[in-house]
């Protein structure tokens, strides 16, 4: 495969000389990602995405690099940015920019996929690079988007709404990041008042990776503002029960240990939320010897946690007990500044949900009662000297350690989920992109999940790697329980 050299404006990575290292790790990851490799083998010769412009906004890791090159193998024309300022693995980004073996690329003349990502971006850089990933040559935009958290989708929608007269960009900002987004939109608008409407003119769909991004999509669909069809990848069983549960079960501990070197055994760990992510986190902490306390709003999840032997308490009642606090919900303001002020000395605080607003990091950094000390990248110590807060409540002298500035601890302090579990998630993403493109004339704006038969196919692609032998139904057995011989084997309501 021989491709054209990238121009300097077509990539922004930390160091292209890291590409050889990145390529070696991609080789390891490919072996551990059988779903993606089987997808390449099945669809690669057919090139079903030939020439399709796809923008990605998803953590630029080694595993994502295998996803990117799978989509490229299927013919896609790609541009990529990370969806998190800390999650990029710089050697993976370099490998993608330089290109795969056979492309003829070198660090001096990269010939890979345009990629805009490096670890430790500012918010201004992050949103600028998200826009670059959405901006194809010739003033064109993406035809499909692979999104994680919904930032690429949000930027396009807010840009179009601004150009059509919406005044959101002029309203007071609720956070620094919101102000950054508004400033970027206004800058683009001054240069080209129709820019975003052109970008979305051929947009056919988006596949979304996470709970938070899915919530955004359903809200836009309910409000009637969603511009394109969307596939909720997060709620594929082979995503939510694998990435969210089994992935977090391994990568949470990885992030905490790399960040702090703390021993988990004997500690009291508080897990905020007992959805799939919370379940995996609670399992891993208990397996390491921690005593785990769960907080929950959902009575069903709370009952599940109790049946698994966890204590279920309100966060306010366990602040003085917890050694480790982990948010897992995808919601905002789970751990407030007041919670942080009431924690025991030397508590470790981390988030494995999404964004940085599960923990009130902005309020923490703005407080004049606390001193911040950076220990090393993505590990900060906050110290209160004691005294009353603004409401007159006493604050005892204590320190806490915040990991990854409240962003995803498994990607900020470690390298994310294992390759095998991401193969499940990313095979879903590829199938979703194929589905959106093949039905681009049929699907209307709205949110859907992949058909269960495809969900089962994702699982099937991973079984040989594990040495699994499936039992086969006889025609009589299939008829008795009313399912096709080849599946799907469970009704939509089945919870797994």
């Amino acid at each position: 495969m021989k491709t054209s050299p990238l121009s300097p404006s077509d990539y922004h990575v930390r160091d292209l000389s890291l590409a050889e290292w990145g390529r070696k790790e991609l080789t390891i990851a490919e072996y551990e990602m059988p779903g993606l490799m089987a997808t390449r083998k099945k669809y690669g010769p057919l090139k079903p995405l030939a020439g399709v412009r796809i923008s990605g906004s998803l953590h630029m890791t080694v595993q994502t690099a295998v996803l990117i090159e799978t989509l490229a193998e299927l013919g896609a024309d790609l541009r990529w940015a990370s969806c998190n300022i800390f999650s990029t693995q710089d050697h993976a980004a370099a490998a993608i920019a330089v290109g795969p073996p056979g492309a003829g690329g070198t660090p001096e003349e990269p010939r890979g996929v345009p990629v805009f990502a490096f670890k430790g971006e500012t918010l201004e850089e992050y949103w600028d690079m998200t826009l670059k990933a959405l901006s194809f040559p010739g003033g064109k935009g993406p035809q499909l988007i692979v999104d994680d958290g919904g930032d690429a989708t949000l930027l396009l929608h807010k840009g179009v709404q601004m150009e059509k007269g919406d005044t959101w960009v002029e309203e007071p900002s609720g956070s620094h990041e919101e102000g950054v987004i508004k400033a970027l939109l206004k800058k683009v608008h001054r240069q080209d008042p129709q820019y975003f409407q052109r970008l979305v003119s051929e947009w056919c769909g988006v596949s979304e990776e996470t709970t938070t991004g899915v919530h955004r999509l359903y809200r836009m669909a309910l409000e009637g503002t969603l511009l394109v069809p969307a596939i909720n990848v997060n709620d594929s069983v082979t995503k939510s029960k694998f990435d969210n549960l089994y992935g977090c079960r391994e990568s949470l501990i990885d992030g905490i240990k790399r960040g702090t070197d703390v021993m988990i055994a004997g500690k009291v760990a508080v897990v905020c939320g007992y959805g799939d992510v919370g379940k995996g986190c609670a399992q891993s902490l208990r397996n390491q010897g921690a005593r785990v306390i769960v907080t929950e709003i959902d009575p069903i999840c709370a009952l599940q946690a109790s049946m698994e032997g966890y204590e279920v308490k309100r966060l306010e009642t366990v602040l003085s007990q917890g050694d480790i606090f982990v948010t897992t919900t995808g919601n905002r303001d789970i751990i407030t500044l007041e919670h942080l002020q009431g924690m025991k000395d030397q508590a470790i605080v981390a988030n494995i949900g999404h964004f940085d607003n599960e923990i009130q990091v902005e309020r923490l950094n703005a407080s004049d009662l606390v001193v911040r000390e950076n220990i090393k990248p993505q590990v900060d110590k906050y110290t209160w000297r004691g005294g009353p807060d603004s409401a007159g409540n006493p604050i005892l002298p204590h320190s806490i350690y915040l990991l990854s500035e409240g962003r995803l601890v498994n990607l900020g302090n470690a390298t994310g989920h294992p390759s095998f579990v991401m193969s499940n998630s990313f095979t879903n993403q590829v199938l979703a992109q194929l589905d959106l493109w093949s039905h681009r004339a049929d699907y209307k704006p709205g949110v859907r999940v992949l058909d269960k038969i495809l969900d089962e196919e994702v699982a099937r692609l991973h079984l040989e790697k594990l040495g699994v032998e499936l039992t086969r139904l006889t025609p009589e057995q299939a008829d008795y329980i009313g399912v096709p011989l080849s599946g799907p084997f469970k009704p939509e309501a089945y919870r797994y």
Side-chain angles (χ1 to χ4, degrees):
M1 182 173 73
K2 188 80 171 177
T3 58
S4 301
L6 298 181
S7 70
S9 62
D10 273 335
Y11 61 92
H12 189 165
V13 302
R14 176 77 66 192
D15 185 354
L16 286 174
S17 70
L18 300 174
E20 183 180 359
W21 172 25
R23 181 57 54 186
K24 290 175 180 177
E25 289 216 21
L26 259 73
T27 302
I28 297 173
E30 287 175 350
Y31 181 76
E32 277 288 294
M33 303 185 83
L36 286 183
M37 302 312 288
T39 303
R40 290 188 195 183
K41 183 177 180 180
K42 180 176 180 179
Y43 293 106
L46 303 175
K47 296 291 184 287
L49 296 175
V52 179
R53 299 188 304 276
I54 298 179
S55 293
S57 173
L58 199 155
H59 308 285
M60 186 57 256
T61 64
V62 167
Q63 291 72 33
T64 302
V66 181
L67 166 63
I68 291 169
E69 293 191 345
T70 299
L71 291 168
E73 184 73 18
L74 272 55
D77 176 10
L78 296 146
R79 294 173 76 84
W80 211 270
S82 183
C83 63
N84 183 300
I85 62 174
F86 293 134
S87 65
T88 296
Q89 293 171 257
D90 290 320
H91 58 309
I96 286 299
V98 168
T106 65
E108 295 71 35
E109 189 179 81
R111 291 174 175 266
V113 169
V115 58
F116 308 89
F118 60 90
K119 191 176 184 72
E121 302 159 7
T122 66
L123 286 173
E124 289 79 6
E125 290 168 333
Y126 169 81
W127 285 100
D128 280 342
M129 290 194 284
T130 300
L131 181 59
K132 287 179 180 178
L134 293 166
S135 303
F136 285 77
K140 293 182 178 295
Q143 292 165 295
L144 295 173
I145 290 177
V146 177
D147 218 348
D148 184 327
D151 281 353
T153 300
L154 178 143
L155 192 64
L156 289 181
H157 278 79
K158 291 298 185 183
V160 170
Q161 290 165 12
M162 173 191 64
E163 291 175 359
K164 293 185 175 181
D166 185 274
T167 60
W168 177 77
V169 292
E170 304 300 338
E171 297 169 4
S173 298
S175 67
H176 172 59
E177 185 163 18
E178 187 176 308
V180 169
I181 298 168
K182 290 176 178 177
L184 175 62
L185 291 175
K186 287 190 280 190
K187 175 184 174 182
V188 173
H189 190 63
R190 287 192 297 269
Q191 296 170 349
D192 185 344
Q194 303 295 314
Y195 187 79
F196 286 99
Q197 291 177 77
R198 281 201 305 278
L199 283 190
V200 304
S201 62
E202 296 180 74
W203 189 17
C204 299
V206 56
S207 56
E208 170 57 48
E209 179 85 359
T210 66
T211 303
T212 305
V214 166
H215 286 165
R216 282 182 176 178
L217 290 171
Y218 279 119
R219 177 176 294 181
M220 287 191 286
L222 187 63
E223 294 170 347
T225 59
L226 185 61
L227 296 173
V228 294
I231 290 183
N232 166 7
V233 167
N234 182 70
D235 287 331
S236 292
V237 177
T238 44
K239 197 283 183 183
S240 62
K241 296 294 181 183
F242 289 76
D243 178 319
N244 293 1
L245 198 160
Y246 303 127
C248 292
R249 194 169 69 181
E250 298 204 19
S251 65
L252 170 69
I253 297 297
D254 191 16
I256 292 174
K257 284 185 174 290
R258 291 200 204 199
T260 66
D261 296 314
V262 72
M263 187 171 186
I264 304 295
K267 301 293 193 299
V268 174
V270 181
V271 176
C272 300
Y274 198 68
D276 288 323
V277 174
K279 288 178 173 69
C281 293
Q283 286 180 25
S284 63
L285 289 162
R286 181 163 66 181
N287 289 343
Q288 290 285 318
R291 179 163 67 88
V292 179
I293 301 171
V294 169
T295 74
E296 248 305 334
I297 61 164
D298 186 320
I300 296 175
C301 291
L303 183 61
Q304 284 183 312
S306 183
M307 293 298 100
E308 291 292 336
Y310 301 110
E311 292 183 72
V312 183
K313 302 290 184 182
R314 289 193 179 95
L315 181 58
E316 291 77 12
T317 65
V318 296
L319 292 175
S320 62
Q321 301 175 48
D323 300 293
I324 300 168
F325 294 83
V326 181
T327 57
T328 73
T329 70
N331 205 340
R332 58 175 294 167
D333 303 325
I334 305 305
I335 293 180
T336 66
L337 176 60
E338 289 72 25
H339 291 141
L340 297 167
Q341 290 174 166
M343 288 179 179
K344 70 185 294 187
D345 189 37
Q346 305 297 302
I348 296 166
V349 184
N351 168 48
I352 197 169
H354 207 79
F355 300 129
D356 61 343
N357 59 0
E358 294 213 26
I359 303 164
Q360 288 186 341
V361 179
E362 282 203 17
R363 285 190 67 203
L364 176 64
N365 287 330
S367 173
D368 56 7
L369 302 175
V370 64
V371 176
R372 177 182 179 181
E373 178 187 4
N374 181 252
I375 305 300
K376 62 181 180 179
Q378 286 81 63
V379 180
D380 291 291
K381 181 179 182 180
Y382 290 83
T383 300
W384 286 264
R385 295 195 178 93
D389 64 13
S390 57
N393 300 311
I395 302 175
L396 296 176
H398 71 290
S399 298
I400 64 148
Y401 293 92
L402 179 65
L403 304 184
S404 293
E405 297 185 17
R407 295 176 183 269
L408 290 171
V409 64
N410 59 329
L411 281 152
N413 289 91
T415 59
H417 294 334
S419 297
F420 187 84
V421 78
M422 292 314 300
S423 181
N424 284 270
S425 296
F426 290 164
T427 303
N428 273 287
Q429 281 283 14
V430 174
L431 294 181
Q433 292 285 296
L434 291 172
D435 190 54
L436 285 166
W437 186 246
S438 63
H439 291 94
R440 62 190 181 279
D442 311 321
Y443 288 167
K444 306 300 180 188
V447 187
R448 59 192 298 122
V449 295
L450 281 176
D451 291 338
K452 188 171 288 291
I453 194 70
L454 295 177
D455 212 345
E456 290 183 358
E457 180 63 16
V458 172
R460 198 184 304 274
L461 290 171
H462 293 82
L463 297 182
E464 182 180 353
K465 171 76 175 176
L466 300 173
V468 172
E469 297 178 354
L470 279 179
T471 300
R472 298 185 183 277
L473 291 173
T474 67
E476 293 77 16
Q477 288 173 324
D479 182 64
Y480 185 73
I481 61 173
V483 301
L485 271 173
S486 57
F489 297 103
K490 298 290 190 295
E492 290 297 332
Y494 189 78
R495 302 296 184 190
Y496 294 90

